[in-house]
Amino acid sequence: MMYSVLKALCAIPLLCSVAGSAKTSFALQQEETLDQWLEAEGTFALQAILDNIGPNGAKVRGAHAGIVVASPSKSNPDYFYTWTRDAALVFKQLVDTFIAGNYDLQDKIHEFITAQAELQTVSNPSGTLSTGGLGEPKFHVNQTAFTGDWGRPQHDGPPLRATAMITYAKWLVDNGHVDAARSIVWPVVQNDLAYVGQYWNSTGFDLWEEVKGSSFFTAIAQHRALVEGGNLARQLGVDCSQCESQAPQVLCFLQSFWSGTNIIANFGGDRSGLDTNSILGIIHNFDPEADCDDNTFQPCSSRALANHKRVTDSFRSIYPINSRIPSDQAVAVGRYAEDVYYGGQPWYLATFAAAEMLYNAIYQWNRTGEMSITDVSLPFFKGVYSSAQVGKYSASSRAFSDIMANVTKYADGYLNIARRYTPCSGALAEQFSKADGRPLSASDLTWSYAALLTAKERRNAIVPGPWGQKSAHDVPTTCSASPAPGRYQTATITGWPSTLTPVPTSPTPCPAPNRVKVTFQSITETKWGENIFIVGSVAELGSWNPEAATPLRADKYEDSCHMWYAQVDLPAGARVEYKYIRKSGDGKVVWESDPNRSYKIPKKCGVSSLTLKSSWR
Ligand SMILES: *[C@@H]1O[C@H](CO)[C@@H](O)[C@H](O)[C@H]1NC(C)=O
Ligand SMILES: *[C@@H]1O[C@H](CO)[C@@H](O)[C@H](O)[C@H]1NC(C)=O
Ligand SMILES: *[C@@H]1O[C@H](CO)[C@@H](O)[C@H](O)[C@H]1NC(C)=O
Ligand SMILES: *[C@@H]1O[C@H](CO)[C@@H](O)[C@H](O)[C@H]1NC(C)=O
Ligand SMILES: *[C@@H]1O[C@H](CO)[C@@H](O)[C@H](O)[C@H]1NC(C)=O
């Protein structure tokens, strides 16, 4: 296509002026609001996650069923493996999405748990099931052991995985499937909890796989898993005595990571301790029913807020893209200031996490109706509200509502940073350049997409279920270290009963629309004379007849964003299959590669339009 002709024809003044100015990169999506971007990006992110899960994920052919591949990238860097940590965090989000009503995800959840039961039995360089093998950080995507050198063991995998599976087991219990929770899910969970009870007081590698020692992220995840494991065991009438005996000890140990002004992310290694490790741990242990408790580092606690400021401020001076940002506004966030991996760049998931923690805090202040500013948290509050003073503020006070508004704006700022440096295709890599924001390192990092989704939901006050913090925040007066020997038993899952299928409950509070306006976006670089069309399984998409395909528009096509798009009115509730096709001037048609794209148009109260982002394949 010819860009200058379209520019001359361009009917939207704002677009034309942007296209004509020096501001080339990322111009397009900046014209949408943050809400609009999050909506479209959220839809894209969920699909991008599924594309990275075996056996049918479009980008990870060959991966075993239920296996989450960290990224489709096979070189520079090679992330074509499954990490227990990443997979667990991703599935925690998918289970929450399932519980919120996306029932199509149930088979995936079953496949995940089945795959984890199998992985537990794969003997590997860390050991076998009963000799420490659960601490192995990563496996090949065909579920065989990875035997190369690596930072092992890593103790965060088992607690994170237990939490993901416990969340699903609790749904089973709540929906009358206690037997399935006890006989299918619990045996897998129990092995992971046995591991946590046995190894929480041993050193291992941190989540970045670099420091051997003790890590805040690992310890806080261990505490949560033991608490909710103990609660679930009581509901199921099974034993988790190590949950009861070890959880208070882990909480006691956890206190030692607090320096007085911030969290020390690791014991071991030679860094300042300021590390997104801590913010990731805090959002994992957010309990929507909790108060602003320091002991469990709840997001609205003084400790969490003080630490948030110290960690995020540590990136202000070291990234050129942050250099002109005033000190009361959000910045791009990486792992830790001393990072040299890929030259030490900001990460999408770190920047999303900085936003998410603040949305969690906002949720807690709003729920409890009060906000405390202490000596410890004062620097955080002064950063967003210059006249902040130590004190207790009730929801009816002026300061409370002003601070809520300022923190919301500040949190949105982090999402806007990530959004500014997300290409218009929607693809989220692992990192983006500290010099100019270009995506870097592994493409389509599954965890990046999960991090976008959790931040988006917390922003909308959609929160996960509680994990039991309310009865598990008392710290023993003296810390002791007497880990419990673990009992391990092979958990074999032969199948899942079909009776577990959720029964859609209450009628929607407002009538769902019958039609949905779907905007199809395809990022496709085209030559002069080429045009892009969409063709698919329904009449509105030409019933697979390329002659009857719907043309996409190119009036938003720019050098920095090869955007083709069309809006099509489609029946709500229908599953449509489709592909994009490219027609050249001489009438030749080129189809996208297999498989067909597939999307079920939601039939949901309030959903009358949506955007599907994609890139030519
Ligand atoms: C599993 O995958 C690895 C890495 O691709 C490969 O080396 C190995 O041969 C595969 N094993 C089996 C049993 O397929
Ligand atoms: C084990 O626990 C004790 C008591 O909390 C603590 O002092 C010690 O540092 C812990 N060691 C490790 C490696 O976790
Ligand atoms: C606070 O909670 C109320 C009801 O519980 C809700 O309607 C409102 O949107 C919440 N506000 C924020 C900022 O989360
Ligand atoms: C926060 O809110 C107040 C009152 O709405 C406003 O005047 C102020 O500029 C905001 N920002 C800071 C950094 O105080
Ligand atoms: C895509 O859909 C068409 C029409 O239903 C079908 O003929 C074709 O086999 C599908 N392709 C794949 C890879 O499933």
Side-chain angles (χ1 to χ4, degrees):
M1 66 160 268
M2 200 167 130
Y3 176 49
S4 57
V5 170
L6 271 161
K7 227 162 83 177
L9 295 173
C10 180
I12 309 166
L14 183 61
L15 261 181
C16 298
S17 63
V18 166
S21 78
K23 181 184 156 203
T24 50
S25 86
F26 312 111
L28 183 83
Q29 68 266 39
Q30 295 301 309
E31 285 150 16
E32 334 171 271
T33 64
L34 178 59
D35 286 285
Q36 287 167 335
W37 182 74
L38 285 170
E39 251 344 280
E41 187 67 17
T43 305
F44 177 77
L46 179 57
Q47 185 57 49
I49 288 173
L50 299 176
D51 285 349
N52 286 354
I53 300 177
N56 299 319
K59 293 200 167 163
V60 295
R61 297 282 142 168
H64 193 280
I67 288 295
V68 180
V69 181
S71 150
S73 174
K74 288 187 173 173
S75 61
N76 299 320
D78 181 3
Y79 279 20
F80 204 78
Y81 295 92
T82 187
W83 270 263
T84 305
R85 168 184 41 258
D86 296 43
L89 290 168
V90 166
F91 259 95
K92 173 64 169 63
Q93 167 56 15
L94 293 184
V95 172
D96 285 337
T97 305
F98 162 78
I99 292 172
N102 190 337
Y103 296 142
D104 291 347
L105 295 172
Q106 192 175 34
D107 289 344
K108 293 264 169 264
I109 294 166
H110 291 171
E111 286 173 354
F112 168 72
I113 298 174
T114 302
Q116 302 313 303
E118 289 163 5
L119 277 181
Q120 285 183 340
T121 67
V122 175
S123 74
N124 61 64
S126 297
T128 65
L129 171 62
S130 58
T131 63
L134 300 186
E136 182 68 4
K138 72 173 192 182
F139 293 84
H140 289 299
V141 305
N142 59 10
Q143 296 192 166
T144 61
F146 166 75
T147 54
D149 285 342
W150 209 252
R152 56 168 70 91
Q154 296 177 17
H155 298 308
D156 58 346
L160 296 170
R161 181 165 63 186
T163 285
M165 295 189 293
I166 287 169
T167 307
Y168 184 62
K170 287 203 281 202
W171 179 86
L172 287 174
V173 171
D174 291 346
N175 287 272
H177 307 297
V178 181
D179 282 350
R182 188 191 298 114
S183 63
I184 305 178
V185 185
W186 178 256
V188 199
V189 171
Q190 128 67 30
N191 284 331
D192 282 343
L193 293 175
Y195 185 90
V196 177
Q198 180 170 358
Y199 291 98
W200 70 266
N201 201 231
S202 308
T203 56
F205 280 85
D206 69 326
L207 79 170
W208 308 136
E209 315 191 287
E210 294 166 344
V211 180
K212 180 148 196 211
S214 299
S215 165
F216 176 84
F217 178 80
T218 303
I220 200 168
Q222 287 166 331
H223 180 242
R224 175 184 173 151
L226 291 172
V227 170
E228 57 186 347
N231 293 342
L232 177 64
R234 258 177 272 120
Q235 274 191 296
L236 297 177
V238 295
D239 176 69
C240 192
S241 44
Q242 82 277 15
C243 294
E244 315 287 343
S245 67
Q246 303 301 307
Q249 292 193 23
V250 178
L251 183 62
C252 203
F253 178 50
L254 191 60
Q255 306 311 306
S256 55
F257 290 90
W258 178 247
S259 78
T261 52
N262 59 268
I263 294 163
I264 303 155
N266 296 296
F267 299 144
D270 53 0
R271 301 179 192 151
S272 75
L274 298 174
D275 188 319
T276 304
N277 165 325
S278 55
I279 296 177
L280 291 165
I282 289 165
I283 60 176
H284 178 70
N285 273 35
F286 162 57
D287 187 318
E289 291 181 355
D291 297 336
C292 300
D293 170 47
D294 270 337
N295 295 348
T296 57
F297 297 85
Q298 286 305 303
C300 64
S301 68
S302 292
R303 286 177 173 182
L305 294 167
N307 180 71
H308 187 282
K309 177 163 172 61
R310 299 260 293 159
V311 171
T312 54
D313 278 356
S314 72
F315 300 104
R316 288 188 184 272
S317 61
I318 63 169
Y319 298 155
I321 57 171
N322 288 344
S323 65
R324 287 207 205 100
I325 299 178
S327 65
D328 61 346
Q329 286 174 30
V331 287
V333 178
R335 305 193 299 177
Y336 51 89
E338 303 88 340
D339 197 358
V340 293
Y341 182 58
Y342 272 81
Q345 312 288 344
W347 285 42
Y348 291 101
L349 69 88
T351 307
F352 290 137
E356 181 171 333
M357 197 199 97
L358 299 176
Y359 297 130
N360 293 342
I362 289 165
Y363 181 91
Q364 291 176 318
W365 287 320
N366 187 41
R367 207 204 83 249
T368 57
E370 62 176 38
M371 178 186 287
S372 288
I373 303 182
T374 64
D375 288 332
V376 170
S377 59
L378 188 61
F380 168 84
F381 283 101
K382 275 200 174 298
V384 289
Y385 184 74
S386 41
S387 53
Q389 286 179 1
V390 169
K392 214 170 186 166
Y393 301 89
S394 77
S396 57
S397 68
R398 181 66 198 273
F400 183 97
S401 44
D402 284 352
I403 294 173
M404 286 285 264
N406 282 15
V407 176
T408 304
K409 218 162 71 189
Y410 181 56
D412 284 354
Y414 287 98
L415 297 189
N416 274 321
I417 296 270
R419 165 190 176 208
R420 177 176 314 146
Y421 301 122
T422 298
C424 72
S425 66
L428 291 174
E430 182 183 66
Q431 309 177 27
F432 52 101
S433 158
K434 62 186 171 190
D436 61 14
R438 248 173 320 125
L440 288 174
S441 183
S443 59
D444 293 303
L445 189 81
T446 320
W447 185 0
S448 294
Y449 291 116
L452 173 283
L453 286 174
T454 51
K456 167 181 180 284
E457 286 177 8
R458 302 308 169 262
R459 180 172 184 268
N460 292 334
I462 298 170
V463 298
W467 54 266
Q469 184 276 352
K470 280 213 95 80
S471 53
H473 55 76
D474 289 337
V475 180
T477 36
T478 47
C479 293
S480 59
S482 44
R487 291 175 296 109
Y488 304 87
Q489 204 165 16
T490 298
T492 308
I493 298 178
T494 49
W496 294 81
S498 56
T499 52
L500 305 180
T501 312
V503 187
T505 47
S506 54
T508 46
C510 71
N514 290 322
R515 315 275 306 173
V516 178
K517 286 187 170 44
V518 182
T519 301
F520 291 92
Q521 294 183 350
S522 178
I523 307 302
T524 310
E525 186 165 7
T526 42
K527 291 201 281 284
W528 166 239
E530 282 180 343
N531 284 292
I532 302 300
F533 292 72
I534 180 170
V535 64
S537 58
V538 290
E540 291 86 341
L541 297 178
S543 305
W544 287 119
N545 174 5
E547 300 293 312
T550 301
L552 270 57
R553 300 170 51 140
D555 58 335
K556 296 182 180 176
Y557 191 102
E558 298 183 26
D559 289 347
S560 62
C561 177
H562 304 141
M563 169 74 71
W564 289 82
Y565 73 100
Q567 193 182 71
V568 186
D569 199 26
L570 290 170
R575 177 167 285 284
V576 295
E577 291 207 0
Y578 61 98
K579 269 186 182 178
Y580 294 102
I581 56 177
R582 187 194 290 259
K583 294 188 187 177
S584 46
D586 59 11
K588 211 174 120 242
V589 175
V590 178
W591 291 71
E592 275 192 309
S593 61
D594 282 338
N596 293 328
R597 297 175 186 270
S598 172
Y599 188 71
K600 188 168 170 201
I601 314 294
K603 190 174 176 66
K604 250 171 78 180
C605 171
V607 180
S608 57
S609 66
L610 61 91
T611 299
L612 294 179
K613 301 181 183 206
S614 56
S615 300
W616 178 268
R617 67 180 187 213

